[in-house]
Amino acid sequence: MRTARIEYEVSGRPFQLPVVQGSVGGVRTLFLVDTGANAHVVTRWLAKKAKLALESHGDSSTDHVGKPIATLRTSHPRFVIDGWGPLPDRDTIVIDVPEALERLGIGAFLSPQNLDAKTTVLDLSRGELRESESLGEEKGALAEWSSFSRPEPRSLPEPTACTDPTNPIAPLSFVLPATVDDQEVSLLVDTGAQRTDLFFTSNAGKSLAPRAEPGESLLLASGKVDTKMLRDVAISVGAVRARLDVGLVPGSADASCPRDGVLAMDVLRRCVLVFGEGTFHARCRGTDGPPH
């Protein structure tokens, strides 16, 4: 079975998001392992370096806060993931990204739920991305994860799959029900985001906004956006409990995947995520505090 090593380090420095090594069009690069990306993506700077053939189909994607991003396509990106091997060539989105990502050497986004495997296991705690032949075995094996984690791992609730059968890129992502300070919300499962956040425009965002503090600016593909911060917020996803600083961000979800915000690596770093034939299963360590 194919296995790739997940790293939490870039250029010798700690990095809070998961990356794997590989190449695009024969050019070495880092892939950000991003469940928030509903398809694999190549950055334009790397596409240019790899001399990929680009086409315009009038496509438009959205960034983290739902702002539109003009996109191109390439049909032969020649993805190769170290330890996993080459991926089948297919139409792939190409986007412009901030120069900061280029400086880090992150040239592509890998959508693990869209890999060419019957079952894909994203073990964020152990740092492993692997293929499996049996979804049933992997779901059962999640219980064994408790052998090295206390308290016992907890299952996440049933997700909603976001798909668009009319799109040739065949996008796929997942949204989970949760509560943030007793406010019911729907959160996109997003390993490409460091911090769990809510849209200002969501019902929960409007309700919680009066207690928010000024936050840091986020640098997104569409530019900088100002945020606010909710300190020490109780978040619940199924039986998983945590107290986190939660961001409030502008924008809104795109119509193809309604949501109130994202569930990010501040929670998911403790989780094993299993993707199989359009389905999503997960087990996370239960907690009452911030991740370590």
Side-chain angles (χ1 to χ4, degrees):
M1 294 292 100
R2 296 173 290 181
T3 302
R5 182 168 65 93
I6 293 172
E7 301 175 357
Y8 293 98
E9 181 179 288
V10 173
S11 300
R13 297 183 178 182
F15 191 65
Q16 295 186 333
L17 302 179
V19 295
V20 293
Q21 298 197 33
S23 63
V24 173
V27 177
R28 297 290 299 173
T29 193
L30 290 175
F31 291 75
L32 183 65
V33 183
D34 187 1
T35 61
N38 59 16
H40 306 320
V41 177
V42 179
T43 64
R44 190 162 183 172
W45 71 264
L46 184 62
K48 182 178 180 180
K49 188 174 182 179
K51 299 180 180 179
L52 301 181
L54 303 181
E55 301 175 353
S56 177
H57 292 264
D59 298 331
S60 177
S61 297
T62 57
D63 66 9
H64 183 77
V65 297
K67 290 187 177 181
I69 309 168
T71 66
L72 298 171
R73 289 191 213 173
T74 183
S75 57
H76 300 288
R78 292 186 289 141
F79 282 0
V80 179
I81 308 299
D82 289 4
W84 186 282
L87 304 186
D89 270 344
R90 61 181 64 167
D91 279 356
T92 300
I93 293 171
V94 178
I95 65 170
D96 284 311
V97 296
E99 289 183 5
L101 283 181
E102 182 176 356
R103 290 195 297 269
L104 289 171
I106 296 174
F109 298 79
L110 187 71
S111 177
Q113 65 268 30
N114 288 289
L115 283 170
D116 59 325
K118 183 177 181 181
T119 300
T120 300
V121 181
L122 179 57
D123 190 331
L124 294 163
S125 182
R126 289 182 174 176
E128 183 178 83
L129 176 67
R130 63 185 177 85
E131 177 187 27
S132 177
E133 290 185 344
S134 172
L135 176 61
E137 287 182 7
E138 292 300 336
K139 288 169 62 179
L142 290 179
E144 299 174 7
W145 198 58
S146 62
S147 63
F148 63 91
S149 63
R150 294 182 182 181
E152 292 292 305
R154 313 290 182 87
S155 294
L156 295 183
E158 288 295 316
T160 299
C162 295
T163 60
D164 182 359
T166 67
N167 190 326
I169 302 294
L172 175 65
S173 55
F174 296 95
V175 172
L176 289 172
T179 60
V180 176
D181 267 7
D182 297 323
Q183 300 282 326
E184 294 186 358
V185 295
S186 296
L187 301 178
L188 179 72
V189 180
D190 190 355
T191 60
Q194 178 179 327
R195 184 186 67 204
T196 295
D197 63 37
L198 297 171
F199 291 125
F200 281 115
T201 54
S202 68
N203 289 335
K206 292 175 183 177
S207 176
L208 297 171
R211 53 176 280 200
E213 304 174 2
E216 298 177 354
S217 295
L218 288 180
L219 183 59
L220 306 177
S222 59
K224 281 188 177 182
V225 297
D226 293 327
T227 72
K228 290 189 175 182
M229 186 71 70
L230 297 164
R231 301 293 182 186
D232 193 34
V233 173
I235 183 169
S236 172
V237 189
V240 176
R241 305 284 189 271
R243 299 198 69 88
L244 305 168
D245 292 344
V246 173
L248 287 179
V249 300
S252 59
D254 56 275
S256 65
C257 194
R259 60 190 185 275
D260 298 304
V262 302
L263 185 69
M265 284 296 291
D266 48 6
V267 174
L268 297 173
R269 183 67 171 78
R270 302 181 178 91
C271 300
V272 179
L273 312 182
V274 180
F275 304 96
E277 299 178 338
T279 65
F280 169 78
H281 307 271
R283 187 66 64 88
C284 304
R285 279 183 288 174
T287 180
D288 293 318
H292 301 289

